[in-house]
Amino acid sequence: MRFLEDLLDNFWNTHKNNAGVAYVYGHKLSIAWVVCVILAIVVGFVYQGKVAMFRGIAEASETIISVPSATEIVKVHVVPGQEIHAGDTIVQINRPDLTLRIAELTREIDALEGRSNLSSAEIDQKVADVKANLETRRLTLTAEIRNLEAEYNSNKAISAKLKSLSNSKSQSDGNDAMAMRIKSLKNELALATKSANEQIALLRGSSKLQKASGKNEAENLKKELEEMQKQQEELIQIAKEDWVVGDVNVRDGEKVSSFAPIVTLTHKSPTLVRGYINEQIYQNMDLGEAVKVTTLAGTGKAVVGEVVGLSSRIVAFPERMWKMPEMPVYGREVTIKIPENNPFLLGEMVTISETSGKKLKKNENK
């Protein structure tokens, strides 16, 4: 600072005869203020609507194990803080209502299939009875027709030999009556055959209809049974990927209400950051924008994250981010997705700053 003063004094002594230099030197305080104001305006214009840096907390995405109905805990296989891997058993659950419903569906399906088989047998028996009655009626009518035809042919032969009686009206009337009787019996046989065939067709049609109806009902029950059995298999909760057990909210033998959290699982390393921007500062940030996340101390390699969520209302900062106790701070919450391979600890406070790229996807494409 002393060096600058000496430098300015030497410059003044050298150029004090210059009117311009003398004017500037005489109004140096005013000119300094003007320069500061101009610089402030320029900086404000360049960074308007921007926050160069804000803070957040590194967190991991969670999954909560729960079931949609009242359950009973058989056994819990994990403890809080335990690392589990894909294929590990987490908890065994029992649902008495599910077991009861599976038994009911099994009985209903068996009964329905039994009734269907019984109905088919009954219809087949009725068809056989109709055929038997038709055969009996056919034999009776056929025998009677055969006898009448024999008698009719005999009468015709006698009439041909007795030419003297060929014009006899009584003989002619008798033959005509017999012919009409034979024709009537043949019509009766044809009608009986047609009626029996119609009865058989109707019985077989009703059999197909009953089978189709029973089949549809059985298929619906079987689908429900498959769904119930699938839910029963899910009563043994098995990890599908690597997790860290967060909270265990139940004990062995405890009864749990529907949708109550049983076990909470989190990832081992943070997968997102919840940042908080003070409400007194306007932040022009967009979804998909790239940001840089570092530790508070600024050590270690920075991680590039992507803004995936912006709150639409003002929320309270976490208590640990208050500058003074009992003086809450409010602002806007920003959710940032970060790669799983990162140096942060769960719950660690981090610093978030803007990067030169506006959109993470654009940077990746480049």
Side-chain angles (χ1 to χ4, degrees):
M1 197 66 185
R2 180 66 180 173
F3 172 75
L4 291 175
E5 291 179 358
D6 293 340
L7 185 64
L8 290 173
D9 288 339
N10 292 333
F11 181 80
W12 162 248
N13 292 328
T14 306
H15 301 86
K16 61 182 178 180
N17 294 327
N18 188 308
V21 173
Y23 179 82
V24 171
Y25 190 81
H27 299 82
K28 58 183 178 180
L29 185 60
S30 300
I31 293 174
W33 274 107
V34 171
V35 171
C36 289
V37 170
I38 293 173
L39 287 175
I41 292 173
V42 171
V43 171
F45 179 78
V46 173
Y47 290 98
Q48 79 174 51
K50 294 291 178 184
V51 171
M53 188 177 298
F54 56 98
R55 293 183 177 182
I57 297 174
E59 299 179 0
S61 57
E62 296 183 342
T63 184
I64 298 175
I65 296 177
S66 63
V67 289
S69 62
T71 59
E72 180 183 356
I73 305 300
V74 177
K75 183 173 180 60
V76 180
H77 293 265
V78 295
V79 295
Q82 177 182 346
E83 292 186 20
I84 59 176
H85 306 284
D88 292 348
T89 301
I90 302 172
V91 62
Q92 289 178 266
I93 306 169
N94 179 37
R95 281 181 55 188
D97 64 313
L98 193 60
T99 305
L100 180 62
R101 183 55 182 161
I102 289 175
E104 290 177 352
L105 288 171
T106 304
R107 286 197 300 270
E108 288 180 15
I109 292 171
D110 292 340
L112 185 62
E113 290 178 346
R115 287 197 302 270
S116 177
N117 294 333
L118 181 60
S119 298
S120 298
E122 289 177 350
I123 290 173
D124 290 340
Q125 182 60 44
K126 288 181 179 181
V127 170
D129 292 342
V130 171
K131 288 182 177 180
N133 292 334
L134 174 63
E135 185 64 19
T136 302
R137 184 64 176 162
R138 187 183 65 80
L139 292 174
T140 301
L141 291 173
T142 302
E144 188 174 354
I145 291 170
R146 190 181 299 115
N147 292 334
L148 287 173
E149 286 180 340
E151 185 178 353
Y152 177 77
N153 291 331
S154 176
N155 289 340
K156 283 183 69 176
I158 294 171
S159 298
K161 291 179 180 179
L162 298 175
K163 294 181 179 181
S164 60
L165 299 176
S166 60
N167 294 325
S168 175
K169 186 176 180 181
S170 60
Q171 183 70 27
S172 177
D173 291 342
N175 288 339
D176 290 342
M178 192 174 293
M180 290 180 64
R181 175 62 179 163
I182 293 171
K183 184 178 181 181
S184 175
L185 289 175
K186 288 183 177 179
N187 289 337
E188 185 178 349
L189 178 59
L191 184 62
T193 303
K194 181 180 179 182
S195 177
N197 290 335
E198 288 178 351
Q199 280 186 284
I200 292 171
L202 183 62
L203 288 170
R204 286 177 175 170
S206 64
S207 175
K208 292 180 180 178
L209 184 61
Q210 286 185 2
K211 286 182 179 179
S213 177
K215 184 179 180 180
N216 290 337
E217 187 176 354
E219 286 179 353
N220 292 333
L221 291 175
K222 286 179 181 179
K223 286 180 181 179
E224 185 180 354
L225 179 60
E226 289 177 0
E227 181 63 27
M228 295 294 103
Q229 290 173 340
K230 183 179 179 182
Q231 291 184 23
Q232 191 176 44
E233 292 175 358
E234 293 175 352
L235 294 180
I236 300 178
Q237 291 288 329
I238 298 175
K240 296 180 175 60
E241 57 180 297
D242 295 346
W243 294 96
V244 174
V245 179
D247 297 320
V248 177
N249 304 305
V250 295
R251 298 186 299 273
D252 293 352
E254 183 179 349
K255 297 186 183 299
V256 182
S257 59
S258 58
F259 295 106
I262 298 173
V263 176
T264 302
L265 304 175
T266 64
H267 285 100
K268 185 175 181 180
S269 60
T271 55
L272 58 89
V273 173
R274 298 196 187 277
Y276 298 88
I277 306 170
N278 195 291
E279 63 178 336
Q280 296 179 356
I281 304 173
Y282 177 75
Q283 171 67 13
N284 184 18
M285 184 168 284
D286 301 319
L287 290 174
E289 185 171 343
V291 294
K292 185 170 63 176
V293 183
T294 58
T295 60
L296 280 182
T299 58
K301 185 178 179 181
V303 173
V304 177
E306 178 187 3
V307 177
V308 295
L310 293 169
S311 65
S312 58
R313 61 189 182 92
I314 299 299
V315 298
F317 282 26
E319 195 169 331
R320 59 185 289 199
M321 296 182 70
W322 297 356
K323 294 183 178 179
M324 297 182 64
E326 300 182 359
M327 290 187 65
V329 182
Y330 296 88
R332 191 180 189 188
E333 183 179 307
V334 180
T335 304
I336 300 164
K337 182 181 178 181
I338 58 175
E340 289 189 15
N341 297 326
N342 59 75
F344 308 123
L345 300 175
L346 285 173
E348 181 181 359
M349 192 178 298
V350 295
T351 299
I352 305 159
S353 58
E354 295 176 342
T355 63
S356 57
K358 290 294 293 179
K359 299 284 184 179
L360 185 60
K361 292 181 180 179
K362 290 182 179 179
N363 292 340
E364 291 176 351
N365 291 335
K366 290 179 181 179

